[in-house]
């Protein structure tokens, strides 16, 4: 029931919680049916902050409460007691407004594995049409790429001598060159493609939401933070929220769809009495539906940031540390939308095996012509590059759990990085491989000198400890409302919450296992597929009535 005095925002067929990539896609696709009314709730504001749209502006968006939830992890034993900042978008477009803009689908093996886990309709051949449907690929359509969709994919608009040399060095170590990581097998080294349009960030709000904002059957509410679900027995009927600082409620005639991400969606379920019973009781929340997997199965890509000083070449460090360098960068962008201001956080990528016995690549490199101690701090003044490498398929599992019944209290986020022995072995192997690439002939004219973590770390034990010192999140949390059939699954393969009618989760939290790469493009695919399933189910209900 709605508390006395709460403002009622109306009744809609669909109420979507969260205007990140998934929410924007859902709002677009579901409101395409003029007979269905759609409400989209976003806790943050409009995406009208200048630094959202200038690609290098991610430096000013991450850890900025205007557009970021500014979460932090719990102190992590695997990271030698460190706690990490955990950025999540709090603005129209969600994480697509503050992320690295890299377009990466993952490997066909990822989705075939989902199907093998019992999730019908989620194999590579099933999901590829949904990747293609939303895509507008700069090089045109072919068997795996689409054109004419809303999601623009372009090549980057800058180059660096040191990155070209790293690519040659990787090739000398047996890593094949590639120009396209998105054909189902992403093995190789090459430049990432990005979600930009002529040097400007292309976020989900621009792509999917703005073109349909004038539809009379779509309402977008900003500064609308969901506090808990409205439930009638075991049916979701709406959302209680805070809208522009005041208590409010909204009613869903057909479905409530959670698209609040791998942190927000499990948190809202737990606050609503859906989740692990002991956790809910601990915080005085009545258990509406015992669902032990809510908030569990957290997976993330931990990147190890190895950094090397170089000589005889320019990197962004020197440009950004001098006034004339900054002026040149600004002028390049103003006149041609080119240069360092168009930079994604990482420009060069590589997908490789940590062990030749691996079936497919299990490491991803993000290589950058810069170095810094941590995000938000100034670049170093000396020329250097960073070779970040992450384990694509970690075995470590963490969780997201509420710490209070107050929706304004951030949940406990514990990824449990490097808690699995296998992940420690992969981390040590990744550091060794990076050193081998940097010792290849193509890089030697620049005399790379490792200073992070440092060449003194040699043994397996030392390398694992070093990984804990230099490891940081690459912002890919998934899995906390996983899809499946086992007792810890939260949603079925149509993304319906098990045991609660009228409620789905549609975001990265439904991934049973993390994809082999950046997670934004798979999240958009998930929403594309979900929109078809939602419409199909609504049609079936009408036919049966």
């Amino acid at each position: 029931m709605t508390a006395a005095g709460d403002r009622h925002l109306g009744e809609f067929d669909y109420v979507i919680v969260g205007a990140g990539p998934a929410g924007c896609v859902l709002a677009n696709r579901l409101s395409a049916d003029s007979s269905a009314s759609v409400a989209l709730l976003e806790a943050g504001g409009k995406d009208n902050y200048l630094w959202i749209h200038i690609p290098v502006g991610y430096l000013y968006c991450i850890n900025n409460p205007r557009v970021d939830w500014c979460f932090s992890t719990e102190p992590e034993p695997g990271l030698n007691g460190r706690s990490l900042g955990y950025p999540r978008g709090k603005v129209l477009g969600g994480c697509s407004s503050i992320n690295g803009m890299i377009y990466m689908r993952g490997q066909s093996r990822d989705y075939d594995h989902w199907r093998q886990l019992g999730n019908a309709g989620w194999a590579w051949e099933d999901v590829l049409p949904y990747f293609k449907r939303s895509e507008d690929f700069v090089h045109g359509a072919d068997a795996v790429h689409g054109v004419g969709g809303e999601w623009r994919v372009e090549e980057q608009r800058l180059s660096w001598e040191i990155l070209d040399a790293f690519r040659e060095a990787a090739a000398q170590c047996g890593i094949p060159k590639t120009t396209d990581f998105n054909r189902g097998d992403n093995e190789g080294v090459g430049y990432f493609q990005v979600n930009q349009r002529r040097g400007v960030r292309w976020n989900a709000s621009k792509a999917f939401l703005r073109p349909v904002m004038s539809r009379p059957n779509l309402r977008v509410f900003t500064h609308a933070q969901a506090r808990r679900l409205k439930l009638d027995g075991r049916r979701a009927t709406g959302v209680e929220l805070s809208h522009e600082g005041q208590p409010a409620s909204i009613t869903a005639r057909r479905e409530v769809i959670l698209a609040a991400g791998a942190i927000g969606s499990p948190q809202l379920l737990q606050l609503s009495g859906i989740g692990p019973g002991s956790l809910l009781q601990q915080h005085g929340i009545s258990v509406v539906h015992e669902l032990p997997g809510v908030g569990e199965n957290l997976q993330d890509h931990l990147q190890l940031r190895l950094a090397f000083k170089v000589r005889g070449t320019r990197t962004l460090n020197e440009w950004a540390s001098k006034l004339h360098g900054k002026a040149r960068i600004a002028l390049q962008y103003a006149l041609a939308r080119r240069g360092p201001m168009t930079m994604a956080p990482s420009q060069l990528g590589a997908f490789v095996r940590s062990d030749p016995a691996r079936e497919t690549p299990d490491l991803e490199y993000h290589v950058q012509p810069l170095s810094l101690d941590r995000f938000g701090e100034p670049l170093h003044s000396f020329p250097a590059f960073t070779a970040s490498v992450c384990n694509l398929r970690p075995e470590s599992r963490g969780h997201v759990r509420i710490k209070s019944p107050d929706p304004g209290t951030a949940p406990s986020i514990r990824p449990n990085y490097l808690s699995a022995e296998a992940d420690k072995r992969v981390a040590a192997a990744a550091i060794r491989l990076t050193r081998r690439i940097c010792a290849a002939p193509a890089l030697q004219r620049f005399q790379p000198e490792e200073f992070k973590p440092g060449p003194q770390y040699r043994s397996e034990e030392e390398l694992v400890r070093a990984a804990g010192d230099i490891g940081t999140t690459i912002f890919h949390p998934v899995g906390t409302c996983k899809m499946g059939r086992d007792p810890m699954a939260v949603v079925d393969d149509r993304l319906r919450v098990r045991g609660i009618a009228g409620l789905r989760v549609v975001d990265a939290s439904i991934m049973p296992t993390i994809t082999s790469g950046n997670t934004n493009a798979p999240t958009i695919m998930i929403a594309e597929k979900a929109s078809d399933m939602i419409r199909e189910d609504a049609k079936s209900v009408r036919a049966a009535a």
Side-chain angles (χ1 to χ4, degrees), residues 146-299:
V147 295
E150 296 87 349
W151 200 227
R152 182 66 175 171
V153 181
E154 294 187 351
E155 303 292 350
Q156 298 181 67
R157 298 165 69 86
L158 76 170
S159 62
W160 294 89
E161 182 181 45
I162 192 65
L163 298 186
D164 292 340
F166 189 96
R167 189 184 189 204
E168 292 297 327
Q172 290 169 348
C173 292
I175 302 167
K177 293 181 181 180
T178 185
T179 59
D180 190 349
F181 289 122
N182 289 297
R183 307 190 72 84
D185 174 7
N186 54 18
E187 186 165 13
V189 58
Y191 285 90
F192 290 122
Q193 290 156 344
V194 291
N195 295 121
Q196 295 182 10
R197 186 178 288 279
R198 294 185 293 276
V200 177
R201 178 192 289 273
W202 197 245
N203 69 346
S205 175
K206 287 180 191 173
F208 297 98
L209 197 57
R210 290 187 193 179
V212 301
M213 287 283 273
S214 62
R215 287 177 179 168
N217 60 331
L218 172 63
R219 288 284 307 277
V220 178
F221 298 91
T222 54
H223 304 290
Q225 182 173 352
R227 299 179 65 82
R228 56 187 55 84
L229 299 172
K230 293 169 60 180
L231 297 163
D232 182 2
R234 291 199 176 186
R235 180 175 185 85
T237 60
V239 179
E240 296 177 16
L241 63 145
S242 170
H243 182 229
E244 297 178 342
Q246 300 300 315
S249 66
I250 193 166
T251 298
R253 287 186 288 261
R254 295 182 188 171
E255 292 191 22
V256 176
I257 305 165
L258 303 189
I263 309 302
S265 288
Q267 179 189 23
L268 186 58
L269 287 171
Q270 292 170 4
L271 290 169
S272 306
I274 302 169
S278 59
L279 173 69
L280 307 184
Q281 292 165 352
Q282 175 187 338
H283 296 292
I285 297 173
S286 298
V287 180
V288 175
H289 180 46
E290 170 86 25
L291 207 52
V294 173
E296 303 302 302
N297 192 48
L298 174 62
Q299 300 160 56

Side-chain angles (χ1 to χ4, degrees), residues 90 162 228 323 507 511 523:
K90 187 181 181 182
I162 192 65
R228 56 187 55 84
L323 187 59
D507 55 35
M511 296 186 187
T523 300

